[in-house]
Amino acid sequence: MKILFVTLIVVALDQAAKLAVKGFSIFGINHEGMAPGSKIHLFGQWLNISFVENPGIALGIDFGPDYKMYITVFTFLAAVGLFIYLYKVRTQTFFIRLSLALILGGAVGNLIDRAFYGLFYNYAPFLHGKVVDFIDVRFFNLFIFNRTIGTYILNIADIAVSSGVILLLYLLSRQNNKPALVVDEPDNILAENKE
């Protein structure tokens, strides 16, 4: 399944970017990284590199520390399920497999953070890590119910999952909108030929 190279590329890019932002010290190589909450402006106020650690799931939704392990285990099971499904649809079109490979790559990228970053950075036990987010996109700032709407801080894994889901939904909608092929029943065709 050559399409798994897409998954591996997503995971490698995601982890390399997260380590560059967060910093690391391994095998005598030290990289300082960014301080939590710091920001690098790229394109006005619209696009920044902002280092935050997400303790919960998408869009910063946090169910609390009691659910950390369940979220990580669910992510692992979802990744295994995606891998099995990707194998089952290995004869489907390239774009169906591409969408699934992107989703799988994103799931694995964030799973690595949740499972191992707490141990690697010595702040939490196995399966209780936080996801590193850093791509700060600001469409608009609207403050509702103590939440800012229109501002999202993502990572490469999140973008891969979102892109894969959008592509898959598009492909499925096109498949459902194809007109059904109308085939006359054999009895009707014979009756027409006799006339």
Side-chain angles (χ1 to χ4, degrees):
M1 291 194 324
K2 294 178 184 176
I3 200 70
L4 285 177
F5 283 114
V6 172
T7 299
L8 292 175
I9 289 169
V10 168
V11 172
L13 289 174
D14 178 64
Q15 288 301 306
K18 287 172 178 175
L19 291 174
V21 168
K22 187 165 175 62
F24 61 89
S25 179
I26 188 168
F27 304 123
I29 301 171
N30 296 312
H31 172 64
E32 190 69 28
M34 296 174 65
S38 61
K39 182 181 295 191
I40 299 170
H41 296 287
L42 296 180
F43 186 71
Q45 293 298 318
W46 302 100
L47 180 63
N48 306 292
I49 302 295
S50 300
F51 174 31
V52 297
E53 290 182 292
N54 181 354
I57 57 173
L59 304 176
I61 298 168
D62 187 8
F63 295 109
D66 296 338
Y67 294 94
K68 292 283 301 171
M69 187 180 72
Y70 297 115
I71 292 169
T72 306
V73 170
F74 174 78
T75 305
F76 173 75
L77 294 174
V80 169
L82 272 169
F83 179 78
I84 292 168
Y85 188 67
L86 189 56
Y87 178 77
K88 286 186 173 190
V89 298
R90 65 189 179 277
T91 58
Q92 292 288 326
T93 66
F94 170 76
F95 288 109
I96 292 282
R97 292 179 291 124
L98 175 64
S99 65
L100 294 172
L102 287 169
I103 296 168
L104 178 60
V108 171
N110 283 338
L111 176 63
I112 291 170
D113 295 26
R114 288 188 180 103
F116 299 108
Y117 273 30
L119 288 174
F120 187 71
Y121 290 101
N122 200 27
Y123 68 81
F126 180 59
L127 303 179
H128 288 78
K130 299 175 185 174
V131 175
V132 174
D133 290 332
F134 57 92
I135 303 170
D136 184 349
V137 181
R138 296 172 185 267
F139 297 107
F140 53 86
N141 285 333
L142 184 61
F143 195 71
I144 300 176
F145 302 117
N146 289 333
R147 304 249 338 149
T148 302
I149 309 296
T151 300
Y152 304 99
I153 303 179
L154 315 160
N155 56 46
I156 293 171
D158 297 335
I159 293 170
V161 169
S162 300
S163 301
V165 167
I166 290 168
L167 177 60
L168 187 60
L169 291 174
Y170 170 75
L171 295 169
L172 292 175
S173 72
R174 283 193 46 144
Q175 185 177 358
N176 290 337
N177 288 334
K178 285 184 180 176
L181 180 63
V182 178
V183 178
D184 285 334
E185 294 180 14
D187 292 341
N188 293 342
I189 294 171
L190 290 174
E192 288 174 8
N193 288 340
K194 287 180 181 177
E195 294 175 358

